[in-house]
Amino acid sequence: GQNIDQPTEMTATEGAIVQINCTYQTSGFNGLFWYQQHAGEAPTFLSYNVLDGLEEKGRFSSFLSRSKGYSYLLLKELQMKDSASYLCAVRSNRDDKIIFGKGTRLHILP
Amino acid sequence: DTGVSQDPRHKITKRGQNVTFRCDPISEHNRLYWYRQTLGQGPEFLTYFQNEAQLEKSRLLSDRFSAERPKGSFSTLEIQRTEQGDSAMYLCASSLIIGSGSNEQFFGPGTRLTVL
């Protein structure tokens, strides 16, 4: 089976940096995704990691360690519009299915 | 707009009624997924299709739920004899599976179901 853990809520200040952690257990790993979801809207794709290391995309970076079953999403120069839920999701190599964590609600304070 | 679309966006129904939702994926995408999401939770996998073939259905899904993708394009999700516990956002997503790579899913806006 698969299990994904991430903090329920986090708070950060506009202009600062925040790191959202995700740990997972899976019977077969074939990639980890981060999605952003604003309240009442659909999730939108942020990043994908399948190999160990850091993937950088503008203000957002995502890191993966497969041996530790660990990932983080790093958000720099926080803006008010970054207030959203951030979903960690893992794809299985057995059935290609993607399982989502419960999401981390990020609150940005001015 | 060439993204994933879903219809209706909102549905209010009485307990015991049947409802059907439609999803139109991005046209060239061969994979289509249905998820259910409740407040404060991540999307919960329901079922998915590769073209017209339904590859897997969640064990959490009761027999009241059925999904089809008859021509490998749009898909429908039907819930029979709705219960109040079925109230949720139903999300559809599509992806293009072309071997290795992210093959990320693109989500539609969802159908919010309220069962009274």
Side-chain angles (χ1 to χ4, degrees), chain B residues 3 15 25 34 43 47 54-55 67 84 88-89 91 100 104-105 111:
Chain B
R15 190 175 52 187
W34 284 99
T47 188
Q54 188 172 17
L55 297 185
Q84 288 184 325
M89 176 75 85
L91 293 166
S100 62
E104 72 266 25
Q105 297 181 2
T111 295

Side-chain angles (χ1 to χ4, degrees), chain A residues 35-108:
Chain A
Y35 279 80
Q36 180 191 62
Q37 186 175 27
H38 286 99
E41 298 183 10
T44 55
F45 171 77
L46 289 178
S47 69
Y48 171 73
N49 296 69
V50 67
L51 299 176
D52 291 351
L54 188 68
E55 295 283 342
E56 297 185 79
K57 190 185 295 184
R59 294 189 298 115
F60 293 3
S61 303
S62 57
F63 172 83
L64 175 68
S65 170
R66 288 171 296 170
S67 62
K68 295 180 180 178
Y70 168 69
S71 173
Y72 68 72
L73 179 70
L74 191 72
L75 292 77
K76 302 177 185 176
E77 301 168 16
L78 287 170
Q79 302 174 10
M80 297 303 294
K81 67 178 183 179
D82 296 330
S83 292
S85 284
Y86 291 85
L87 301 164
C88 176
V90 173
R91 181 165 60 198
S92 166
N93 64 5
R94 290 188 302 109
D95 52 22
D96 217 31
K97 194 168 63 182
I98 296 177
I99 301 299
F100 285 82
K102 294 184 178 181
T104 298
R105 285 191 301 281
L106 177 63
H107 306 279
I108 308 298

Side-chain angles (χ1 to χ4, degrees), chain B residues 13 47 52 55 58 71 76 83-85 94 105 110 112-113:
Chain B
T13 190
T47 188
E52 65 274 13
L55 297 185
S58 170
K71 298 181 180 179
T76 58
E83 302 172 356
Q84 288 184 325
S94 71
Q105 297 181 2
R112 182 168 295 284
L113 173 66

